[in-house]
């Protein structure tokens, strides 16, 4: 892979060189590779097929998790989030110590490895929210909750320039990666002023299926706003809104 320089940028194929555009700029690479039918049948590529199967499984698992949290992710995700989540899902699958290679899966893996995943690297929860919070996942009742004691927003939230208001958001999700289904409930505070006046205590409870045997997730995030002439606008279209998986129960 090579980077294109110069005024005129090429797209398409010339001879054995393919020119294309990515998020990293205009690139070029040489055509080539092994025939797909050989990879699908040649014993020499058994490991390649196994890796491909597990990578595909990781991609599907990431998609169903993203879909379950879509309402929050609409304003809280960076452009590389999908690929970053897939990479983390691969690690979850590789932690499966029961299934054979190529058949490893999320259910028998370690879903807890997803804890701490940041959906927006431009605005991470760990460097935005400094107010202490307590998350809890109660499988018996199905309650996935988060609580924050009263705090002073200007002191405990590192807000982007231009912020006048904010909102605390959360979600509890129960995900069946095998059936590709989910149960989710979201919570949010009112839009609160980002100032030096203490908030009230915040307690958000998101309920999923009681006594569930599926992986459960608690996502927590912030949304930033700017008030203009009495109207609230998402700050920079949510570019710096953090959202993180703060607790995961894989069972």
């Amino acid at each position: 892979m090579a980077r294109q320089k110069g005024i005129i940028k090429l797209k398409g194929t010339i001879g054995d060189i393919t020119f294309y555009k990515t998020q990293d700029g205009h690139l070029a690479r040489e055509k080539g590779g092994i025939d797909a039918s050989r990879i699908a049948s040649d014993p020499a590529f058994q490991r390649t097929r196994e890796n491909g199967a597990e990578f595909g499984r990781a991609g599907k698992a990431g998609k169903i998790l993203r879909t379950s949290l879509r309402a929050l992710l609409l304003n809280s995700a960076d452009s590389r989030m999908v690929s970053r989540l897939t990479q983390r899902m691969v690690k979850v699958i590789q932690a499966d110590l029961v299934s054979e290679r190529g058949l490893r899966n999320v259910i028998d893996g370690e879903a807890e490895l997803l804890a701490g995943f940041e959906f927006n690297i431009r605005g991470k929860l760990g460097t935005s929210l400094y107010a202490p919070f307590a998350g809890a996942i109660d499988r018996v009742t199905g309650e996935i909750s988060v609580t924050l004691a009263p705090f002073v927003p200007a002191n405990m939230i590192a807000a982007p320039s231009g912020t006048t208001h904010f909102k605390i958001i959360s979600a509890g999700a129960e995900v069946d990666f095998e059936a590709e289904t989910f149960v989710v409930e979201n919570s949010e505070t009112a839009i609160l002023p980002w100032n030096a006046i203490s908030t009230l205590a915040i307690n958000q409870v998101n309920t999923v299926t009681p006594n569930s045997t599926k992986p459960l997730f608690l996502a927590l995030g912030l949304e930033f706003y700017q008030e203009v002439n009495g109207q609230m606008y998402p700050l920079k279209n949510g570019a710096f809104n953090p959202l993180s998986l703060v607790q995961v129960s894989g069972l």
Side-chain angles (χ1 to χ4, degrees):
M1 181 179 67
R3 189 177 302 275
Q4 296 186 53
K5 293 185 178 181
I7 298 175
I8 299 176
K9 307 300 183 183
L10 302 176
K11 290 184 181 181
T13 300
I14 300 177
D16 292 330
I17 305 297
T18 299
F19 301 89
Y20 59 103
K21 182 181 180 181
T22 71
Q23 296 179 45
D24 298 315
H26 293 264
L27 306 177
R29 65 185 175 192
E30 185 177 4
K31 292 173 59 179
I34 300 169
D35 185 79
S37 61
R38 182 183 174 191
I39 294 177
S41 59
D42 193 328
F45 292 95
Q46 177 65 25
R47 290 290 175 264
T48 301
R49 292 193 292 273
E50 293 169 351
N51 292 338
E54 292 184 353
F55 186 81
R57 201 168 294 122
K60 286 185 177 180
K63 181 179 181 180
I64 187 63
L65 178 58
R66 297 195 312 273
T67 303
S68 72
L69 300 174
R70 177 173 171 77
L72 277 61
L73 286 174
L74 287 173
N75 297 315
S76 306
D78 65 79
S79 60
R80 297 183 184 274
M81 180 270 291
V82 173
S83 60
R84 291 191 299 105
L85 182 58
T86 300
Q87 290 173 358
R88 185 71 71 91
M89 279 293 187
V90 168
K91 294 184 182 299
V92 170
I93 288 174
Q94 290 175 339
D96 178 356
L97 302 179
V98 179
S99 309
E100 296 180 5
R101 183 177 176 136
L103 299 176
R104 293 178 294 186
N105 58 81
V106 174
I107 299 302
D108 295 316
E110 293 289 339
E112 287 81 1
L113 293 174
L114 294 168
F117 181 81
E118 298 277 0
F119 289 95
N120 188 1
I121 58 175
R122 294 173 298 184
K124 297 180 180 180
L125 185 68
T127 55
S128 299
L129 179 64
Y130 292 94
F133 63 85
I137 295 178
D138 189 330
R139 283 192 171 273
V140 176
T141 64
E143 292 184 348
I144 302 176
S145 60
V146 61
T147 59
L148 295 90
F151 65 92
V152 176
N155 294 341
M156 305 306 288
I157 293 179
S161 176
T163 297
T164 62
H165 291 73
F166 72 98
K167 181 190 293 184
I168 300 285
I169 59 174
S170 70
E174 170 195 3
V175 182
D176 186 335
F177 290 103
E178 295 175 312
E180 298 185 16
T181 59
F182 60 86
V183 177
V184 65
E185 185 169 86
N186 305 326
S187 297
E188 61 181 32
T189 64
I191 297 178
L192 304 172
W194 184 67
N195 57 20
I197 300 175
S198 179
T199 68
L200 299 175
I202 296 171
N203 182 32
Q204 297 182 346
V205 180
N206 303 296
T207 304
V208 295
T209 308
N211 297 306
S212 173
T213 59
K214 307 302 179 184
L216 303 179
F217 301 88
L218 170 60
L220 178 65
L222 291 166
E223 291 185 355
F224 297 113
Y225 295 86
Q226 185 175 67
E227 183 178 11
V228 179
N229 296 328
Q231 296 293 319
M232 296 294 176
Y233 297 90
L235 186 70
K236 298 182 180 178
N237 294 321
F240 300 103
N241 291 343
L243 182 70
S244 176
L245 292 177
V246 296
Q247 280 206 0
V248 178
S249 174
L251 193 62

